[in-house]
Amino acid sequence: QGANIGFGGAEHDSSLPVEITADQLDVSQADGRAKFTGNVVVGQGEMRLTGAVVDVEYGESATGETEVKRLHASGGVTLFNGAEAAEGQEAVYTLETGEVVMTGDVVLTQGENAMAGEKLTVNLDTGTGVMEGRVRVVFQSQDAQGAQGDGQ
Amino acid sequence: QEDSPVSTLIADRVEITADGKLVASGNVEAFYEGARLRAGRITYDEDADLLEIEGPIVLTQGENTIVLADSAALSPDLRNGLLRSARVVMDQQLQLAAAEIDRVDGRYTQLYRTVASSCEVCAANPVPLWQIRARRVVHDDLEKQLYFDDAVFEVVGVPVMYLPQLRLPDPSVERASGFLTPSLRTTDELGLGVKIPYFFRIGDDKDLTVTPYVSANRTRTLELRYRQAFRSGDIEMNGAVSRDDIRPEGPRAYLFAEGGFSLPNDYKLEFDIETVSDDTYLLDYDYSDKDRLDSALNLSRVGRDRLFETEAVVYRSLRSSEDNETQPFLVGDATWTRRYDVPVIGGTGSFQLEAHGHQRRSSEDVEGRDVGRVAGLLDWTRAWSGPVGMLFTADARLTFDHTIVDDDSNYPDTINQTTPYGAVEMRWPWVRQDAGSSQVIEPVVQLVWSPDDGENTPQDESTQLEFDEGNLFSFSRFPADDVQERGLRANVGISWTRYDEAGWTLGATVGRIYRQDDLGQFSGYETFDGIESDLLTAVRLELPNRMTLVNRALLGDDYDVTKNELRLSWDSDMLEFASTYVWMQPSEVEDRDDITHEWRIDGDWQINDRWSSSADVRYDLELDRSASARVGVVYSTECATFDLSVRRRFTSTDQLNPSTDYTFEVQLAGFGNTGEGRSSASRSACRG
Amino acid sequence: CGFTPAYAPGGSAYALRNQILAEAPSSTEEYAFVVQFEDRLGRTSDAAPYLLTYSITTETDGLAVTSDQETLRYNLSGEVRFTVTDRASGAVLTSGRTESFTSYSAIGTTVATRASEKSASERLMVILADQTVSQLLATAGSWQP
């Protein structure tokens, strides 16, 4: 039946390792930061986060190794997680809480349905989220979807 | 709001819950193809494809249906689903309150345990004037109809009528077949009867209204009205057929049909047919107070400097004092006129050809006289400005008429006659303009000559003569060309008008005709006979689009009033009336046996936003009683209009006895578009 | 006494004759109105600087109803609303409204009543045209450029 607009479809675990590819990388050991620029793609499990520039903050994990604490993507960002996709100007992903906060003309689409607003706060682990600002939800009613042969 | 085929939801905040639901809150609105819903909170359940809505809900469908509800469960396209404890308001008039409302395919709205009324219900008066309680009401938004099941009609809370099935048009309907407002009518002659009109909407351009009118064993009547519009014109037919005990010997009927068409290059064709089975039918049923019927066919074409009109008329007199044998019953007229600027000598020329004929059924000598006439007219007029602002006008006219007389031994079969006219006129208008007003005084002297003697032609048409500012300076005071005015006469007049800057206008005209000698053309006509005519005096007072008073009096030789006519028209937003007063001496030559002395008032008065009244009273001051009176009172609330009118006729002839008839009509607002907007003022029933 | 001859040189309506083109008539009543207006203020050609537009409404009321319901007299009341516009600029120079009535009796034969009715209508148009011209003459000073 109708695909879900939320993020609960695909299970996600924010403690999985994070791979980041980019055209260029500048590292500053002093304050544990790294700046990826140029077609940056951040991958974690099924989730993909892309952006023009991604600042990564590292920190001590419980077991003492350095790991990624926070990612700050900007300059036009997209977030894919299974069937859902969200676009915005900026996004901050805090791995500890599994929460992504995307701001700036955010558009969340899922098949024919789409939601647009100013600020989207999504928890990848629980699949819940909140869109704020003058939110517009556009959705195909059941029969209209059927009519367009977009059968599930 | 987009009319996109998709549904749109707008809110300040939308939460995505773990189980994939969307919860929208904060100024929540949903749109789908013209339907718009505002609510407190909407939860969109993707799996069930349903919007769970919490109130207060306002759903508007098109511009004239609003649904208010506390909670609802609707499909995303707002077309299907259930609203709980809802109220439907149609065209800001009709309200249907229901425990539950189902919407089906965005077209049908089914309301259960419904109360429908257009009366305003509020704390001050919780029980509306009328309401319809029904087990179920279905509103078809496509057909714009309301279907009631097990409907109980309650007036002030008291059940008055039970109808298993009831169909009524919703308020936005302008043209739909169905019952119109019934009315009760009681008259002295026909007793208490009821009229139930039914309107058939045959098409956008055609409709038929059938109105049975039944009165307890006094009359069974069927009234019909058919109307049809064409691209270039329209026709309307009104008629009725009756069997009643006023004339039990046979069916009585009447037909009034009229129509007008515009034909290519400016021709206009108009017709009207009037016929009735017996002389008093129209009066008995108050269909018309015409006392002479005329069926006519008219073709005309009028433009700058040219006029063409031809008309054939069949007359039938309903007057008991007239015999249709000796009244001209068939009349034909044709006029063809041209005006043009005259070259070389300047001025204006005009040329007219006229044909006339009238026939009487009887062929008795004199009594049954038939007359035919062909007349030609050639006229030239030119104006010069003279010294010190004088304006001179010279006028030369030649008329020729060929008259054919039948059934009258006093006249030869044909009479030819040529009548030249010559005239000179001097106008000398003086003007004064200052801050507060502008005035004009215009003395006019006109000398008209035509030969003293002419042929003796039958005078069938020019028997009733009038004298006013319109013919003070005309060549002939006879209304038709059957007689020409003769001799040397001077028409002298002076008019003064003051236009005040505050907008009111006061004007006066005085005039008289002086004849070189009395040719006896006007003997018996007190106004015109002798060397000097009566003195014409006219006064006019106008207040800016509020009131106009015109009084015209004719004064005899020693300034005694021989005729006085007054008309006062008043027009303000709450009160509008026209009142006329006429006093005329008897005139034997015009068969006016006794003094005409009558006062009439005809007007409507909007007393306040609920009450309005109308009156049309004719009072015969000579006999000191009213000749006829028609008084009406209308009480209108936001949901019903009560209209009571009384007509009193004071006749006393063998066929017609005096009669009074009352008509009472109740119109419920909210069903069918009654056209006249309901004034919002009458909605404020919940005062205080 | 402050009055000056309207048509004398320097008079307010000196340059008014033959300057106003009346709108073409489309009914017998309007034809009679235009003829009287032209007879009073002079005809003109299509090059006239001013245009007179007018709308005439008339109404007939029965009077003198006898005891056997015969209506022996009729009142024909009429109102004309007129404007004079400058044909070049289309600006409305002046406008006005006036009203009057004529009457005719319906005692005579059918053809007599018919002739009286037609004559009453023509006389009413003459009166309305005269009253229109009087207003234009009297106020010419204030609206004629």
Side-chain angles (χ1 to χ4, degrees):
Chain A
Q1 22 73 316
N4 199 307
I5 201 162
F7 277 74
E11 279 65 32
H12 176 77
D13 171 5
S14 58
S15 60
L16 291 175
V18 173
E19 303 125 22
I20 304 175
T21 58
D23 298 347
Q24 185 184 336
L25 167 60
D26 305 309
V27 179
S28 69
Q29 283 301 353
D31 52 12
R33 279 177 169 283
K35 180 190 271 300
F36 294 83
T37 50
N39 304 317
V40 186
V41 177
V42 176
Q44 185 182 41
E46 288 292 315
M47 190 274 290
R48 289 290 172 277
L49 179 61
T50 65
V53 172
V54 174
D55 284 290
V56 179
E57 277 175 31
Y58 294 94
E60 290 297 324
S61 76
T63 56
E65 301 139 44
T66 60
E67 63 171 6
V68 175
K69 282 294 180 203
R70 245 159 52 90
L71 296 159
H72 180 188
S74 58
V77 174
T78 53
L79 172 68
F80 296 97
N81 184 28
E84 288 82 31
E87 284 163 41
Q89 275 153 20
E90 279 179 47
V92 173
Y93 176 25
T94 315
L95 281 80
E96 211 175 343
T97 60
E99 191 176 74
V100 175
V101 176
M102 188 181 286
T103 54
D105 298 335
V106 179
V107 175
L108 169 64
T109 53
Q110 186 294 311
E112 293 299 323
N113 303 336
M115 188 185 334
E118 281 313 304
K119 178 183 172 201
L120 171 66
T121 312
V122 170
N123 186 314
L124 297 178
D125 298 340
T126 64
T128 61
V130 174
M131 176 79 86
E132 287 156 312
R134 204 53 191 148
V135 183
R136 267 169 74 82
V137 179
V138 174
F139 41 84
Q140 292 294 75
S141 57
Q142 194 63 355
D143 41 24
Q145 264 173 341
Q148 280 157 14
D150 177 9
Q152 237 53 44
Chain B
Q1 152 230 7
E2 270 165 59
D3 279 348
S4 60
V6 292
S7 326
T8 311
L9 186 68
I10 295 182
D12 290 346
R13 194 168 185 285
V14 174
E15 276 175 64
I16 308 156
T17 62
D19 53 7
K21 287 203 176 86
L22 296 183
V23 181
S25 54
N27 300 320
V28 184
E29 290 183 69
F31 302 94
Y32 184 79
E33 267 193 2
R36 175 175 175 208
L37 182 135
R38 285 195 300 279
R41 233 162 95 95
I42 295 184
T43 306
Y44 172 59
D45 178 348
E46 182 95 32
D47 306 341
D49 193 32
L50 200 63
L51 298 174
E52 274 298 332
I53 308 166
E54 283 141 54
I57 298 172
V58 177
L59 168 63
T60 50
Q61 173 82 27
E63 26 10 290
N64 52 41
T65 312
I66 299 170
V67 182
L68 315 167
D70 290 352
S71 66
L74 293 173
S75 56
D77 58 18
L78 310 175
R79 288 166 62 84
N80 291 290
L82 183 72
L83 296 103
R84 286 176 283 278
S85 68
R87 223 151 42 95
V88 180
V89 179
M90 291 182 182
D91 207 20
Q92 285 104 32
Q93 286 177 50
L94 183 63
Q95 298 175 43
L96 301 108
E100 209 179 278
I101 291 184
D102 273 346
R103 277 179 67 77
V104 178
D105 297 339
R107 171 177 172 182
Y108 300 104
T109 308
Q110 287 179 101
L111 302 97
Y112 298 95
R113 294 191 303 288
T114 311
V115 174
S117 170
S118 57
C119 303
E120 199 152 297
V121 180
C122 52
N125 52 13
V127 179
L129 192 62
W130 63 267
Q131 62 186 8
I132 304 174
R133 205 181 285 281
R135 180 176 53 75
R136 188 176 75 130
V137 174
V138 175
H139 173 243
D140 177 344
D141 198 40
L142 194 61
E143 292 299 325
K144 303 243 177 285
Q145 299 292 332
L146 286 159
Y147 302 89
F148 291 76
D149 294 344
D150 298 336
V152 176
F153 184 77
E154 291 178 3
V155 176
V156 197
V158 175
V160 167
M161 191 164 51
Y162 165 76
L163 291 161
Q165 294 279 339
L166 172 67
R167 180 183 64 77
L168 291 169
D170 87 20
S172 65
V173 166
E174 274 162 25
R175 276 177 70 83
S177 299
F179 284 102
L180 300 178
T181 323
S183 64
L184 294 172
R185 182 167 187 265
T186 127
T187 78
D188 298 348
E189 288 161 329
L190 297 170
L192 175 65
V194 66
K195 289 191 178 186
I196 307 164
Y198 191 88
F199 176 83
F200 288 95
R201 179 186 176 284
I202 303 168
D204 276 349
D205 58 344
K206 304 191 264 289
D207 57 52
L208 172 71
T209 309
V210 175
T211 310
Y213 165 42
V214 178
S215 156
N217 63 44
R218 304 294 288 277
T219 176
R220 282 186 308 291
T221 300
L222 193 64
E223 294 171 4
L224 295 153
R225 183 192 71 178
Y226 175 76
R227 296 184 304 176
Q228 180 161 359
F230 302 85
R231 206 165 28 79
S232 63
D234 51 49
I235 61 169
E236 172 164 349
M237 288 194 264
N238 285 280
V241 182
S242 306
R243 289 189 76 85
D244 60 29
D245 58 7
I246 301 176
R247 285 179 188 253
E249 62 275 14
R252 309 171 73 188
Y254 90 96
L255 172 67
F256 280 9
E258 59 180 7
F261 296 89
S262 30
L263 306 177
N265 51 54
D266 295 343
Y267 279 94
K268 257 193 272 177
L269 180 71
E270 281 158 347
F271 74 90
D272 91 72
I273 298 163
E274 291 173 355
T275 175
V276 73
S277 60
D278 58 271
D279 290 356
T280 62
Y281 183 59
L282 294 174
L283 279 176
D284 292 340
Y285 286 76
D286 193 16
Y287 289 141
S288 160
D289 42 27
K290 286 192 86 160
D291 55 12
R292 279 171 168 167
L293 301 184
D294 51 55
S295 302
L297 185 64
N298 180 306
L299 178 69
S300 67
R301 181 178 188 237
V302 181
R304 181 179 299 284
D305 293 342
R306 57 181 167 69
L307 174 116
F308 165 72
E309 182 168 25
T310 173
E311 183 168 55
V313 188
V314 173
Y315 280 99
R316 174 173 163 208
S317 172
L318 305 179
R319 296 180 178 180
S320 47
S321 61
E322 286 177 355
D323 169 4
N324 274 303
E325 284 298 308
T326 56
Q327 281 288 331
F329 79 104
L330 188 60
V331 181
D333 270 306
T335 314
W336 184 80
T337 310
R338 282 291 180 282
R339 267 165 70 87
Y340 46 87
D341 296 324
V342 176
V344 180
I345 56 172
T348 311
S350 65
F351 172 79
Q352 175 170 306
L353 252 181
E354 186 208 62
H356 167 82
H358 59 264
Q359 192 177 6
R360 292 179 170 86
R361 284 196 177 85
S362 145
S363 46
E364 295 292 320
D365 188 19
V366 181
E367 286 285 312
R369 179 172 54 234
D370 308 329
V371 175
R373 180 175 63 245
V374 176
L377 175 145
L378 195 61
D379 181 276
W380 172 79
T381 175
R382 190 178 190 290
W384 289 274
S385 24
V388 202
M390 289 185 183
L391 185 70
F392 293 99
T393 308
D395 205 312
R397 173 176 300 184
L398 184 67
T399 70
F400 162 76
D401 44 72
H402 168 71
T403 310
I404 306 148
V405 185
D406 193 7
D407 294 340
D408 190 334
S409 50
N410 305 328
Y411 297 96
D413 290 353
T414 61
I415 307 162
N416 293 322
Q417 176 174 239
T418 309
T419 313
Y421 282 86
V424 242
E425 180 190 271
M426 190 283 294
R427 282 180 180 266
W428 199 10
W430 292 65
V431 173
R432 168 181 172 179
Q433 230 173 336
D434 52 39
S437 69
S438 34
Q439 301 180 50
V440 57
I441 296 178
E442 186 176 39
V444 184
V445 177
Q446 180 191 50
L447 263 174
V448 183
W449 171 85
S450 60
D452 284 3
D453 41 24
E455 297 298 331
N456 173 15
T457 52
Q459 194 171 335
D460 269 352
E461 295 154 272
S462 299
T463 57
Q464 311 288 325
L465 304 185
E466 297 293 330
F467 186 29
D468 54 36
E469 310 93 286
N471 62 0
L472 172 58
F473 297 110
S474 73
F475 276 27
S476 171
R477 251 60 68 160
F478 293 105
D481 291 336
D482 52 350
V483 187
Q484 306 286 347
E485 187 170 343
R486 299 194 167 286
L488 180 64
R489 60 263 188 202
N491 304 321
V492 179
I494 183 162
S495 78
W496 164 77
T497 318
R498 182 183 195 284
Y499 302 92
D500 190 277
E501 195 223 7
W504 56 270
T505 304
L506 179 63
T509 301
V510 177
R512 176 165 259 160
I513 305 166
Y514 298 91
R515 297 185 191 286
Q516 187 184 30
D517 35 49
D518 178 2
L519 304 177
Q521 267 195 316
F522 297 98
S523 56
Y525 292 97
E526 148 62 18
T527 311
F528 290 113
D529 65 8
I531 298 292
E532 285 180 7
S533 74
D534 280 4
L535 183 67
L536 164 68
T537 69
V539 174
R540 173 169 64 99
L541 172 65
E542 280 186 42
L543 304 181
N545 46 48
R546 174 54 52 84
M547 183 206 85
T548 301
L549 172 87
V550 177
N551 187 78
R552 188 170 292 133
L554 296 179
L555 309 179
D557 300 339
D558 37 32
Y559 297 99
D560 56 323
V561 177
T562 59
K563 179 166 134 182
N564 187 68
E565 286 187 294
L566 176 141
R567 178 181 161 80
L568 170 71
S569 69
W570 174 274
D571 184 2
S572 63
D573 28 19
M574 298 300 263
L575 175 65
E576 193 192 328
F577 69 84
S579 176
T580 55
Y581 167 82
V582 60
W583 182 88
M584 289 199 295
Q585 277 182 332
S587 155
E588 181 223 311
V589 76
E590 288 183 322
D591 330 332
R592 204 169 41 248
D593 323 336
D594 36 42
I595 289 182
T596 304
H597 192 192
E598 189 189 82
W599 172 76
R600 178 184 178 191
I601 183 154
D602 175 3
D604 314 322
W605 175 30
Q606 179 80 26
I607 301 162
N608 55 35
D609 57 27
R610 306 202 139 234
W611 289 94
S612 71
S613 63
S614 65
D616 179 353
V617 179
R618 289 196 191 96
Y619 197 81
D620 188 327
L621 297 158
E622 212 50 35
L623 305 175
D624 197 14
R625 63 158 172 70
S626 72
S628 80
R630 198 188 288 268
V631 182
V633 172
V634 175
Y635 175 71
S636 67
T637 69
E638 77 287 353
C639 55
T641 305
F642 304 88
D643 185 333
L644 173 70
S645 66
V646 182
R647 187 181 76 108
R648 179 85 178 106
R649 199 180 62 214
F650 306 88
T651 52
S652 52
T653 61
D654 44 15
Q655 289 155 323
L656 276 172
N657 26 46
S659 92
T660 309
D661 47 15
Y662 304 85
T663 308
F664 180 67
E665 204 173 88
V666 178
Q667 190 154 14
L668 303 186
F671 299 112
N673 186 326
T674 48
E676 3 58 274
R678 302 211 64 67
S679 64
S680 57
S682 67
R683 283 211 73 80
S684 56
C686 301
R687 288 190 186 80
Chain C
C1 60
F3 279 89
T4 61
Y7 289 133
S12 62
Y14 176 65
L16 194 58
R17 279 184 59 77
N18 306 95
Q19 299 300 311
I20 305 180
L21 177 69
E23 199 181 24
S26 62
S27 72
T28 319
E29 279 175 352
E30 289 180 357
Y31 184 85
F33 178 82
V34 169
V35 164
Q36 178 64 13
F37 181 81
E38 286 179 352
D39 286 352
R40 288 293 312 284
L41 274 185
R43 281 165 65 86
T44 174
S45 68
D46 202 29
Y50 309 124
L51 174 72
L52 173 85
T53 58
Y54 50 84
S55 112
I56 299 172
T57 52
T58 59
E59 192 189 317
T60 304
D61 302 311
L63 291 173
V65 177
T66 65
S67 57
D68 43 25
Q69 282 308 292
E70 291 174 4
T71 307
L72 299 186
R73 193 158 181 82
Y74 287 92
N75 246 359
L76 178 63
S77 58
E79 175 203 56
V80 60
R81 289 178 181 275
F82 61 89
T83 64
V84 176
T85 49
D86 178 332
R87 292 180 72 199
S89 68
V92 174
L93 299 174
T94 184
S95 68
R97 164 205 173 286
T98 186
E99 184 178 335
S100 188
F101 77 94
T102 54
S103 44
Y104 60 95
S105 91
I107 305 170
T109 62
T110 50
V111 284
T113 307
R114 179 177 166 76
S116 307
E117 183 182 0
K118 235 180 223 176
S119 166
S121 171
E122 274 156 21
R123 295 196 318 269
L124 179 61
M125 291 308 130
V126 165
I127 294 172
L128 292 180
D130 282 347
Q131 286 176 183
T132 302
V133 168
S134 298
Q135 182 163 344
L136 294 180
L137 278 185
T139 58
S142 57
W143 59 266
Q144 197 182 8

